[in-house]
Amino acid sequence: PNGPVRDGLNFLQLHHGLLNVLDTPTAVFIGIVYGYLPLMAMPLFVAFDRIPQDYTEASADLGSGRLGTFLRVTLPLARPGVAAGCLLTFVPMTGEYVIPALLGGDKGVLMGGLIADQYLTAQNFALGSAMAVLILAVLGVFVFMLTRTTGGFQPVAQ
């Protein structure tokens, strides 16, 4: 609650009083973003890096603005990278147990924590197994929908 971040926010009048972030959903959100941001950033970087500069220049030559070029040229060519990034972040995040337990306390419970509680605390193996199978089914539907909407994970032919 005390520290240079709190002092800076109080000085800029963006916050008043103590900064209580630990054991809140905000702390869990910050921790998950901090943990999974590289898993999303790397596939996006590779996908955007592989787009030839000629395509964006041709789009600008044909009168498209920056937003139009991004939406009509860059984003469709980067679909496999976006799909891979979504897959690399969403799948492990559904079973996340450590980050919510450390940063959220009782308020930071995600599905991984609920399943672990069914096994470890409640000794209700049937419900824990049913929850795990439900998560697997949701992940299967997510992966299926992701491959259908993005055209698969193969790169676009250049």
Side-chain angles (χ1 to χ4, degrees):
N2 297 321
V5 174
R6 178 196 63 111
D7 294 339
L9 290 174
N10 287 340
F11 177 75
L12 295 172
Q13 298 179 351
L14 296 173
H15 187 268
H16 184 267
L18 295 176
L19 187 63
N20 293 320
V21 178
L22 198 59
D23 293 339
T24 63
T26 303
V28 175
F29 177 76
I30 292 170
I32 285 182
V33 167
Y34 179 78
Y36 288 103
L37 187 64
L39 294 177
M40 186 68 183
M42 291 308 293
L44 288 179
F45 173 76
V46 170
F48 288 133
D49 190 47
R50 289 186 178 178
I51 296 174
Q53 189 69 25
D54 298 341
Y55 291 3
T56 56
E57 290 174 4
S59 176
D61 289 343
L62 292 172
S64 182
R66 297 172 100 186
L67 182 63
T69 299
F70 179 75
L71 292 176
R72 292 186 190 100
V73 177
T74 307
L75 196 57
L77 289 173
R79 277 188 319 195
V82 172
C86 290
L87 189 67
L88 285 174
T89 54
F90 182 72
V91 171
M93 199 177 347
T94 56
E96 185 61 56
Y97 174 72
V98 176
I99 292 174
L102 291 176
L103 297 178
D106 294 335
K107 299 174 187 157
V109 179
L110 295 178
M111 280 305 290
L114 291 175
I115 294 171
D117 284 343
Q118 292 303 316
Y119 280 104
L120 302 174
T121 306
Q123 299 291 316
N124 192 351
F125 300 118
L127 182 58
S129 299
M131 291 168 71
V133 168
L134 179 68
I135 290 293
L136 286 175
V138 168
L139 287 175
V141 168
F142 174 74
V143 170
F144 175 76
M145 295 302 294
L146 192 65
T147 56
R148 298 287 292 171
T149 57
T150 60
F153 295 107
Q154 69 274 6
V156 177
Q158 295 180 4

